[in-house]
Amino acid sequence: MEYAKDEIERVLVSNEEIQQRLDCLAERINADYAGKDLLVVCILKGAVAVFADVLRRIRIPCAIDFMAISSYGSSTKSSGVVRILKDLDHGIEGKHVLIVEDIVDSGMSMSYLLDNLKTRNPASVRILTLLDKPERRRVELKADYIGFTIPDEFVVGYGLDYAERYRNLPDVCVLSPKMYS
Ligand code: PRP
């Protein structure tokens, strides 16, 4: 897809590459969770696209739920403050929980969420993230299923935003620094 050059610097991961990678990850998920009581949790809002695409590849019985957390405000740097804006609708005791995220950056959001969910006595909690930015980590955190490891550039599209824009782009793109500097 063609993007406005003054807003989007370049495509980092194309939708086609994303779909191919999700095929591989879903194959592993289908094998790893066979026969288990699986709950797939979408972390709003950034994960909506990857969640919908992963979900449609899961071939074993599962339930879904949604959670909204906030760490960023509207800047490009993580504040380190994590708030639960919307909690899960149901308890997770005894369930195998697969959290679906768009990006692990500082790791603060996921670290907080893992600690929080583990107090609710699930059978297991694992993380799937489309994107991983290890250079920016501030806490030790490793996702179980990683789509793409990316460099420290500000990315938007395929669910990811800058000030609530660009979530609708089909590809993961590098935002032009002009847009936020
Ligand atoms: C983004 C992203 C992760 C988090 C990652 O969410 O979806 O939840 O930041 O950053 P971290 O590893 O530094 O904690 P954001 O708060 O921007 O909300 P959104 O998903 O609604 O865009």
Side-chain angles (χ1 to χ4, degrees), residues 108-173:
M108 306 286 283
S109 308
M110 257 318 101
S111 170
Y112 169 85
L113 204 59
L114 274 181
D115 289 349
N116 183 297
L117 294 181
K118 280 177 184 167
T119 65
R120 307 182 195 191
N121 299 320
S124 69
V125 186
R126 283 186 184 172
I127 301 164
L128 179 154
T129 186
L130 176 74
L131 305 171
D132 187 22
K133 247 191 212 179
E135 280 172 49
R136 299 246 312 173
R137 220 47 120 253
R138 287 164 63 191
V139 289
E140 198 178 317
L141 190 116
K142 205 175 168 332
D144 303 276
Y145 306 94
I146 297 171
F148 301 90
T149 300
I150 62 167
D152 185 12
E153 291 182 285
F154 196 88
V155 286
V156 295
Y158 194 71
L160 291 103
D161 75 310
Y162 173 60
E164 294 301 328
R165 284 188 63 198
Y166 307 109
R167 293 194 197 273
N168 56 310
L169 309 186
D171 311 296
V172 172
C173 303

Side-chain angles (χ1 to χ4, degrees), residues 45-46 71-72 78 101-103 105-109 161 167:
K45 302 171 193 168
S71 64
Y72 268 27
S78 177
E101 252 296 16
D102 52 335
I103 187 164
D105 197 325
S106 70
M108 306 286 283
S109 308
D161 75 310
R167 293 194 197 273

